[in-house]
């Protein structure tokens, strides 16, 4: 015989039906016994008939009780099935599964997660030795193990010193809904990682950015010109605000948007946050959240006149029959210190230096690219230096006070979609094209990239984003995946014989002579992730 513990679940109505059936049965039995005792003078024939009738009644009552029990069991099974469906579809159950999955993934990918966080790799503890071992033997083994570990560490350090700088793939983020689609934009949350969300839209998403003051607000720009703001704290897929009903909404794709903190007063203590967007309709607009989304134009980009040279060296302006006077905007970047100044890249290949105080006139125009400017970004350390990339296959480094290129890179005949400065060095930037990602270190070389990582066949790289506090790079591709790479064995400032301190432009004079154009047989394309 085997004893096993089983459990069953019943509702209050099940218990009521069961006890009610038992009471009815006991009442019927009492009534039958009372009738038989009060009628003892009944004839034998009649008595036999009554006995046969009572037996029939008892059998019918027993069969009805069995039917009631079968009904109760069937109802219990239905309730259990309904309850299991409710549990499997509940939000709490899904959340618990999510946490359990993360715990298991942390156990499996602990070395890679530790590499991303720059934490030590945990080793599994060895089984304990028997107690009857001699202490001397244990001490000797411990000493041998320590020596072996020291030797292994020395060998690892020696191997790493000989291995060149490289990108090691840690893991990838993927989703069935984005499979086969280009990753168009990436953005870090400004404070904390919020719960994961999937927002589906009938329009193509072209740009995203998290708010600085309210990190739960996510701004999204669409290909049809609409801007929407989502609250990632909420489980709702409906945006809290959008510009679909605004009379000032964009009429072309929103190629970039960004939350900017601007000073209200002269002291700089009082700041307000605005949302700035640039669109193919030639407008750079700022959006302020009040009762809705209020829009004001910072600048209406206009096409520049073509300038040619006469024989005597004098300049003349050539008149053109332009279809539109508006110049489609592609990207922008606000100065890291003075948020009143910003750069705007256009489809015609120019970079305009603009001020929030003037909406009709440029402060300067940087001419060097021959195709649409896809990205422009300020150096996080040298605030007078910025980087740009274009469809003309080029990457250019500029100095703010000089409208001519400082360094030009035309390594291949491929479109450069995006560029990104490293958050840890003023000389390192990343570049990615359709088939590879490259890391450049200007202290090492201005001709060839330091690291080249080639994409898988049929996959094109579309966007990149540096991690803020670790030596990692996020890369989006044409298959809807975002891969995380670790920068291994990167040279330090001491290795290159230079210090990291950057006194802006004077320090850059040691990198290369002015107006140097660097070319090589390698292909570079950079993609910046917001």
């Amino acid at each position: 015989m085997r004893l096993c513990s089983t459990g069953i679940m019943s509702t209050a109505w099940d218990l009521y039906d069961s006890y009610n059936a038992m009471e009815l049965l006991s009442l019927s039995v009492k009534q039958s016994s009372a009738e038989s005792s009060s009628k003892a003078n009944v004839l034998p024939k009649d008595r036999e008939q009554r006995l046969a009738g009572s037996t029939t009644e008892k059998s019918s009552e027993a069969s009805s009780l069995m039917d009631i029990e079968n009904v109760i069991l069937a109802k219990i099974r239905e309730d259990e099935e309904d309850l299991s469906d409710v549990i499997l579809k509940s939000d709490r159950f899904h959340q618990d599964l999510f946490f359990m999955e993360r715990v298991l993934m942390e156990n499996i990918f602990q070395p890679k997660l530790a590499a991303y966080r720059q934490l030590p790799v945990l080793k599994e503890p060895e089984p304990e030795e028997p107690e009857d071992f001699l202490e001397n033997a244990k001490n000797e083994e411990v000493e041998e193990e320590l020596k072996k570990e020291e030797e292994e560490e020395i060998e690892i350090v020696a191997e790493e010193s000989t291995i060149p700088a490289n990108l090691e793939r840690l893991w990838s983020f993927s989703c069935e809904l984005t499979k086969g689609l280009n990753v168009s934009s990436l953005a870090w949350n400004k404070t904390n990682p919020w719960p994961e969300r999937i927002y589906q839209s009938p329009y193509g998403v072209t740009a995203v950015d998290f708010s600085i003051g309210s990190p739960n607000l996510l701004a999204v720009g669409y290909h049809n010109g609409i801007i929407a703001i989502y609250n990632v704290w909420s489980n709702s897929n409906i945006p809290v605000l959008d510009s679909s009903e605004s009379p000032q909404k964009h009429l072309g794709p929103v190629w970039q948007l960004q939350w900017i903190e601007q000073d209200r007063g002269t002291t700089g203590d009082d700041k307000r946050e605005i949302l700035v967007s640039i669109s193919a309709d030639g407008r750079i607009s700022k959006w302020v959240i009040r009762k809705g989304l209020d829009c004001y134009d910072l600048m209406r980009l206009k096409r520049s006149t073509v300038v040619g040279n006469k024989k005597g060296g004098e300049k003349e302006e050539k008149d053109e029959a332009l279809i539109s006077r508006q110049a489609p905007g592609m990207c922008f970047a606000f100065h890291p210190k003075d948020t009143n100044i910003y750069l705007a890249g256009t489809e015609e290949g120019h970079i305009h230096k603009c001020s929030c105080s003037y909406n009709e006139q440029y402060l300067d125009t940087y001419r060097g690219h021959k195709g649409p400017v896809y990205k422009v970004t300020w150096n996080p350390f040298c605030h007078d230096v910025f980087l740009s990339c274009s469809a003309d296959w080029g990457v250019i480094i500029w100095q703010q006070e000089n409208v001519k290129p400082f360094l030009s890179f035309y390594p291949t005949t491929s479109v450069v979609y995006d560029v990104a400065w490293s958050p840890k060095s003023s000389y390192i930037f990343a570049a990615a094209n359709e088939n590879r990602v490259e890391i450049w270190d200007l202290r090492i070389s201005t001709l060839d990239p330091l690291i080249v990582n080639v994409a898988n066949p049929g996959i094109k790289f579309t966007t990149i984003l540096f991690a803020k506090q670790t030596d990692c790079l996020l890369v989006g591709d044409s298959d809807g995946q975002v891969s995380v790479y670790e920068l291994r064995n990167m040279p330090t400032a001491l290795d290159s014989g230079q210090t990291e301190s950057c006194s802006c432009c004077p320090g850059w004079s040691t990198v290369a002579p002015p107006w140097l154009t660097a070319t090589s047989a390698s292909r570079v394309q950079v993609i910046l992730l917001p």
Side-chain angles (χ1 to χ4, degrees), residues 232-462:
V232 298
W233 278 349
S234 173
N235 292 325
S236 175
N237 293 330
I238 301 175
V240 294
L241 293 171
D242 65 61
S243 63
S244 58
E245 302 297 330
S246 174
Q248 301 296 327
K249 66 180 180 182
H250 289 296
L251 303 179
V254 179
W255 292 123
Q256 185 181 349
L257 53 77
Q258 184 180 359
W259 296 88
I260 304 295
E261 284 188 337
Q262 284 190 327
D263 298 334
R264 287 184 177 179
T266 57
T267 59
D269 296 332
D270 188 13
K271 293 185 178 181
R272 65 170 181 175
E273 188 177 33
I274 62 173
L275 180 64
V276 180
S277 62
I278 190 169
S279 172
D281 61 4
R283 295 163 52 208
I284 303 175
S285 304
K286 69 174 182 179
W287 303 81
V288 181
I289 300 177
R290 291 174 182 169
K291 293 183 179 180
L293 279 178
D294 294 336
C295 174
Y296 306 94
D297 287 341
L298 293 177
M299 178 66 70
R300 288 182 177 268
L301 301 172
K302 298 180 180 179
R303 294 185 181 273
S304 303
T305 56
V306 181
V307 179
N309 292 331
K310 290 184 176 181
K311 293 183 179 180
E314 298 178 357
K315 295 183 179 180
E316 66 174 358
E317 294 185 356
K318 296 181 180 180
D319 295 331
E320 286 189 349
L322 300 176
I323 297 177
S324 173
R325 290 293 300 173
Q326 298 294 119
M330 303 297 296
C331 58
F332 66 88
F334 276 75
H335 195 275
K337 291 296 183 180
D338 186 1
T339 55
N340 194 49
I341 303 298
Y342 63 94
L343 303 170
T346 64
E347 190 182 56
E348 58 183 350
H350 298 158
I351 300 174
H352 302 295
K353 181 180 177 182
C354 307
S355 173
C356 294
S357 302
Y358 307 97
N359 58 1
E360 295 290 339
Q361 186 177 0
Y362 307 133
L363 301 181
D364 268 320
T365 298
Y366 303 90
R367 292 179 172 88
H369 288 296
K370 306 300 181 183
V373 179
Y374 288 141
K375 182 61 66 175
V376 58
T377 176
W378 293 93
N379 191 298
F381 301 96
C382 297
H383 299 152
D384 287 334
V385 177
F386 62 92
L387 184 67
S388 65
C389 66
S390 171
D392 63 356
W393 318 333
V395 176
I396 298 179
I397 295 177
W398 308 80
Q399 288 180 333
Q400 183 180 186
E401 302 301 327
N402 200 320
V403 295
K404 294 183 179 180
F406 177 71
L407 281 174
S408 299
F409 305 88
Y410 288 90
T412 62
T413 57
S414 298
V415 175
V416 183
Y417 294 109
D418 202 352
V419 287
W421 288 106
S422 168
K424 292 191 173 184
S425 174
S426 61
Y427 298 95
I428 297 176
F429 66 90
N433 57 29
E434 293 181 348
N435 59 4
R436 70 185 190 181
V437 173
E438 298 182 359
I439 306 297
W440 288 75
D441 191 340
L442 302 179
R443 298 169 302 183
I444 305 300
S445 174
T446 58
L447 298 177
D448 296 307
L450 180 65
I451 300 175
V452 175
N453 187 73
V454 181
N456 295 327
I459 301 298
K460 299 178 181 180
F461 291 131
T462 57

Side-chain angles (χ1 to χ4, degrees), residues 190 211-216 261 273:
K190 302 303 186 294
S211 170
I212 303 171
S214 302
N216 59 303
E261 284 188 337
E273 188 177 33

Side-chain angles (χ1 to χ4, degrees), residues 86-286:
V86 171
I87 293 175
L88 293 176
K89 295 179 181 179
S90 65
D91 295 335
R92 292 290 300 275
F93 183 71
H94 288 174
Q95 186 178 11
D96 293 340
L97 288 179
F98 172 79
F99 291 143
M100 184 182 297
E101 180 188 14
R102 287 302 169 87
V103 171
L104 295 176
M105 296 302 290
E106 287 182 0
N107 292 335
I108 297 173
F109 292 98
Q110 198 277 332
K112 294 186 177 181
L113 291 171
Y116 177 80
R117 296 292 183 185
Q118 295 183 349
L119 298 174
V121 178
L122 298 179
K123 297 182 180 179
E124 295 184 1
E126 298 181 357
E128 297 181 358
E129 298 176 351
E131 295 180 357
D132 57 353
F133 252 70
L134 297 176
E135 294 182 0
N136 295 335
K138 289 183 179 180
N139 294 332
E140 291 179 359
E141 289 183 359
V142 170
E143 291 178 358
E144 291 179 359
E145 290 179 357
L146 292 175
K147 290 181 180 179
K148 288 181 180 179
E149 290 179 358
E150 291 178 358
E151 292 176 357
E152 290 178 356
E153 290 178 359
I154 294 173
E155 291 178 359
I156 291 172
V157 172
E159 290 178 359
E160 289 181 352
S161 62
T162 57
I163 298 175
N166 61 88
L167 284 177
E168 181 181 355
R169 188 171 182 268
L170 299 180
W171 66 81
S172 295
F173 298 97
S174 61
C175 178
E176 291 295 330
L177 297 175
T178 61
K179 188 173 181 58
L181 303 176
N182 290 336
V183 178
S184 57
S185 180
L186 294 175
W188 288 111
N189 190 284
K190 302 303 186 294
T191 56
N192 296 317
W194 299 103
E196 294 161 352
R197 296 283 183 266
I198 297 177
Y199 298 105
Q200 298 186 25
S201 172
Y203 318 112
V205 178
T206 53
V208 294
D209 192 37
F210 279 101
S211 170
I212 303 171
S214 302
N216 59 303
L217 297 182
L218 174 65
V220 180
Y222 292 106
H223 193 270
N224 65 345
I226 293 178
I227 293 175
I229 297 178
Y230 293 88
N231 183 7
V232 298
W233 278 349
S234 173
N235 292 325
S236 175
N237 293 330
I238 301 175
V240 294
L241 293 171
D242 65 61
S243 63
S244 58
E245 302 297 330
S246 174
Q248 301 296 327
K249 66 180 180 182
H250 289 296
L251 303 179
V254 179
W255 292 123
Q256 185 181 349
L257 53 77
Q258 184 180 359
W259 296 88
I260 304 295
E261 284 188 337
Q262 284 190 327
D263 298 334
R264 287 184 177 179
T266 57
T267 59
D269 296 332
D270 188 13
K271 293 185 178 181
R272 65 170 181 175
E273 188 177 33
I274 62 173
L275 180 64
V276 180
S277 62
I278 190 169
S279 172
D281 61 4
R283 295 163 52 208
I284 303 175
S285 304
K286 69 174 182 179

Side-chain angles (χ1 to χ4, degrees), residues 49 65 85:
Q49 292 177 355
L65 182 60
D85 292 339

